[in-house]
Amino acid sequence: MPAVSESLALSLYRQIDRPDWARLAAGIAQPLTEAEVVQLRGLGDRLDLAEVREVYVPLSRLLSLYASSTKRLGADASAFLEEPDSTTPFVVGVAGSVAVGKSTIARLLRELVSRWPGTPRVELVTTDGFLYPNEELERRGLMDRKGFPESYDRRALVEFLTAVKSGESEVRAPYYSHMRYDIVADAHTTVRRPDVVIVEGLNVLQPPPTPNDVAVSDLFDFSIYVDADPAHIQQWYTDRFLALRRSAFSNPNSFFQVFADISDEEAIERAGYFWNEINLPNLVENVLPTKHRASLVLQKGASHAVERVLLRKL
């Protein structure tokens, strides 16, 4: 089957330039302080108060409208069926490339959503916890494809989200340590009946492997794709690698401690290898093709700032 053209895919969306999107925040108070934004910002990201006010405050308001409407629809359906209303969590997916800033966005949205009226309980889950342990990746010959769809326990992720969406009182997810670069066997992330769940990961918008399977995105009520030119993402990835070499990589417990003392030239070369051999192919083959499955696309420019918002037409 031929791929859907970019122009046809774009016709599914309202395309809103940043100034027009920013105007939607008029009259809404800035919910975060500069210190809070700095704490939320990821390494190499350039998130600031202006970006929060002009991009993410309107997005938070939009999400609250979707969540309220979804809750109301659930209550109406229960009333129609003459059943007790059993509200389930509103689930938001956040997808995009390595180094595009999706983790920062997910953390920021968690903070903004938790400040909605009524102070909803918000949980953030990253799909890193559903990577196979390194031992299993080695056994399958997948260590060099970590982050590709086949390196995740997709079934476990679907089962986890199904349990959360079904309203189970407590659901556990595996815990992934970026320092160890592996799953921590005796640690878990526990989710207890949240009002909103944010699920962040590279491949959360992947279609199901077979028509009879459930896709992770089937369990989302709203989804966001963070988009940018691959050349810009490569530069951000390299900058982040250099920054990590001076910080986290220097920790003797870090999996990447071997890179702590290499020169800038060697670090740039190594980052280029990881990008061109692993991250770029994964982006082109698996992540980018899922962009137009998202409810909303945030398009970033070279400065790391969002320049345009695409909102899927209802």
Side-chain angles (χ1 to χ4, degrees), residues 18 37-49 51-52 56 94 97-109 226 228 232-233 235-241 243-244 298 300-306:
R18 176 161 172 162
V37 171
V38 169
Q39 289 179 333
L40 291 167
R41 190 163 54 207
L43 192 63
D45 211 332
R46 301 172 192 173
L47 182 72
D48 57 19
L49 281 173
E51 185 92 348
V52 172
Y56 298 103
V94 180
S97 171
V98 166
V100 80
K102 64 185 180 302
S103 297
T104 295
I105 291 169
R107 290 193 299 271
L108 174 59
L109 288 177
V226 189
H232 297 153
I233 305 174
Q235 185 60 57
W236 304 337
Y237 177 82
T238 301
D239 292 344
R240 189 178 71 174
F241 190 90
L244 284 168
L298 296 172
K300 289 188 170 188
S303 68
H304 227 304
V306 173

Side-chain angles (χ1 to χ4, degrees), residues 210-281:
T210 69
N212 292 328
D213 283 321
V214 176
V216 173
S217 59
D218 289 338
L219 300 163
F220 295 162
D221 297 291
F222 194 93
S223 54
I224 299 165
Y225 184 93
V226 189
D227 190 29
D229 187 303
H232 297 153
I233 305 174
Q234 180 179 7
Q235 185 60 57
W236 304 337
Y237 177 82
T238 301
D239 292 344
R240 189 178 71 174
F241 190 90
L242 291 170
L244 284 168
R245 183 180 55 115
R246 295 187 291 268
S247 56
F249 290 178
S250 62
N251 187 315
N253 295 318
S254 172
F255 179 87
F256 294 101
Q257 202 272 335
V258 65
F259 301 126
D261 297 322
I262 62 177
S263 68
D264 285 353
E265 292 75 15
E266 290 174 305
I268 291 170
E269 181 181 355
R270 180 54 56 177
Y273 171 82
F274 288 143
W275 176 259
N276 289 309
E277 297 300 320
I278 300 173
N279 294 302
L280 181 59

Side-chain angles (χ1 to χ4, degrees), residues 282-299:
N282 194 24
L283 172 60
V284 172
E285 296 168 17
N286 302 303
V287 182
L288 188 57
T290 70
K291 175 171 69 173
H292 294 303
R293 293 171 59 85
S295 311
L296 180 140
V297 179
L298 296 172
Q299 292 188 330

Side-chain angles (χ1 to χ4, degrees), residues 168-179:
E168 290 193 16
S169 58
E170 182 175 295
V171 188
R172 285 181 159 193
Y175 178 77
Y176 182 84
S177 167
H178 286 273
M179 186 69 67

Side-chain angles (χ1 to χ4, degrees), residues 19 24 33 42-43 76 92 125 135 149 158 170 176 178 181 198-199 208 214 217 243 246 248 281 295 299:
L24 302 175
T33 66
L43 192 63
D76 289 345
V92 180
V125 177
E135 183 179 3
V158 168
E170 182 175 295
Y176 182 84
H178 286 273
Y181 195 59
I198 299 169
V199 183
V214 176
S217 59
R246 295 187 291 268
S295 311
Q299 292 188 330

Side-chain angles (χ1 to χ4, degrees), residues 173-175 183-189:
Y175 178 77
I183 299 294
V184 180
D186 55 351
H188 296 86
T189 298

